[in-house]
Amino acid sequence: MKLATRNNGERDGQLVVVSRDLQTMADVDDIAGTLQYAIEHWDIVSPALDARYQALNDNNWPAAQPFDAKRLLAPLPRAWQWLDGSAFLSHGERMQQAFNLPPIEGVECIPLMYQGCGDDFLAPHEDIPCRNSDDGLDFEGEFAVLVDEVPQGCGAQQALSHIRLILQLNDISLRALAPREMKTGFGFIQAKPSSSFAPVAVTPDELGDAWRGGRVHLPLNITRNSVSFGRQHGGEMHFHFGELIAHAAMTRRLCRGTLVGSGTVSGQDTIAGASCIAEIRALEMIAHGEPRTPFLQPGEKIRMEACTQDGLPLFGAIEQQVVIFEEYEE
């Protein structure tokens, strides 16, 4: 099943089902008004949502509308909790080597994770505001999962059964602001503005064999100004999503609608590029002693999309442009 959120002028939007080929969509307000409501009542509403989805795929729903990603918000426009991991060890290893950072104790055994701002996710085509060209504006291509209620102390394998939807995202970062915040030990605030999400969230079965071992076994294709930047593979996660969820739930339960991210998709194959500018700069530091690739500037465009193994649309694409942030005047 594929779900999205139409922009109806309300903060949480209107839940819709989307056809498998991303050609049509249909309102489901008679079943569930929002994705948060659907997650909170999943066992009750999912059969009816799936029936509407099948009717849409069979061209048997008279009220079908053309799919238009520009009419959509993030699938979950705001989340009670947004937790982002760092499950691809090659990403951290390159940053550590390039900038002579001390090794993190237990990094191969205990996932890294921070709590981000989940109250204001950007739509898939929404502009990325650039406050200051010196902030080091970067993109990070990732996957994420949306869970139902996860009990405290949940094990990694059990945690996989709590995954309801899989998403694709751009975790926007301000690299120049991150070092100070990391040194404080209090986590990110200014260095992690709102993330953006691909238009469609999908149930795990939509990935077929590409969803196994709690990982998305698909490449994430990223272009910068229409030039290929990276095509790293989601299957190279060191920690699978069940382990990330279990890590977050060790001392607390997770409410329905919690989002858990994979961290920057990364792998050993440097020919496949990278899913963020910082990693490319790290590789340049290792090879040349200095970074050569600039961070994002106003006017630049970013596109991210993971397709099925047959090359068919799955989550839809994130397509964003960087714009100058207009300061608020009192």
Side-chain angles (χ1 to χ4, degrees), residues 140-155:
E140 292 189 63
E142 303 186 19
F143 296 107
V145 294
L146 186 65
V147 300
D148 61 14
E149 186 161 318
V150 179
Q152 179 180 332
C154 180

Side-chain angles (χ1 to χ4, degrees), residues 12 73 120 148 248 303:
D12 297 303
L73 303 172
D120 186 30
D148 61 14
R303 187 180 194 278

Side-chain angles (χ1 to χ4, degrees), residues 98-99 277-278 280-286 288-295:
F99 299 102
I277 299 171
I280 288 291
R281 288 168 62 91
L283 290 170
E284 292 168 344
M285 285 281 289
I286 294 168
H288 311 294
E290 62 179 4
R292 297 179 177 181
T293 300
F295 289 113

Side-chain angles (χ1 to χ4, degrees), residues 27-224:
D27 289 340
V28 292
D29 53 310
D30 56 319
I31 303 171
T34 66
L35 182 53
Q36 181 64 41
Y37 180 92
I39 290 297
E40 290 178 350
H41 303 85
W42 189 258
D43 291 341
I44 298 172
V45 305
S46 60
L49 291 174
D50 189 60
R52 184 76 46 90
Y53 176 62
Q54 298 305 326
L56 196 61
N57 288 325
D58 294 338
N59 296 315
N60 194 29
W61 188 252
Q65 313 160 35
F67 175 79
D68 183 358
K70 293 184 178 180
R71 296 176 58 197
L72 302 177
L73 303 172
L76 189 67
R78 53 179 172 174
W80 292 112
Q81 187 165 213
W82 160 230
L83 303 170
D84 200 12
S86 184
F88 295 85
L89 296 190
S90 56
H91 173 71
E93 290 168 356
R94 287 170 186 153
M95 302 297 284
Q96 179 183 327
Q97 182 179 353
F99 299 102
N100 295 315
L101 301 173
I104 300 174
E105 183 180 353
V107 70
E108 294 183 356
C109 304
I110 303 174
L112 298 177
M113 185 173 286
Y114 76 92
Q115 189 166 32
C117 59
D119 60 320
D120 186 30
F121 292 133
L122 300 181
H125 291 79
E126 194 167 348
D127 291 335
I128 302 173
C130 180
R131 185 190 71 95
N132 187 317
S133 60
D134 295 328
D135 283 347
L137 179 60
D138 198 357
F139 53 84
E140 292 189 63
E142 303 186 19
F143 296 107
V145 294
L146 186 65
V147 300
D148 61 14
E149 186 161 318
V150 179
Q152 179 180 332
C154 180
Q157 289 304 311
Q158 180 189 357
L160 291 173
S161 68
H162 291 282
I163 295 173
R164 291 291 167 258
L165 296 167
I166 304 172
L167 304 90
Q168 176 200 313
L169 71 133
N170 174 13
D171 182 42
I172 299 165
S173 298
L174 301 176
R175 301 296 186 183
L177 305 183
R180 179 192 174 277
E181 291 192 321
M182 287 190 288
K183 288 178 182 177
T184 66
F186 272 77
F188 298 116
I189 295 293
Q190 295 175 341
K192 289 290 187 179
S194 298
S195 299
S196 57
F197 283 77
V200 178
V202 307
T203 50
D205 61 290
E206 292 291 336
L207 275 69
D209 292 341
W211 175 251
R212 60 184 188 274
R215 298 171 175 86
V216 178
H217 288 263
L218 294 170
L220 180 54
N221 298 299
I222 300 175
T223 62
R224 179 180 186 179

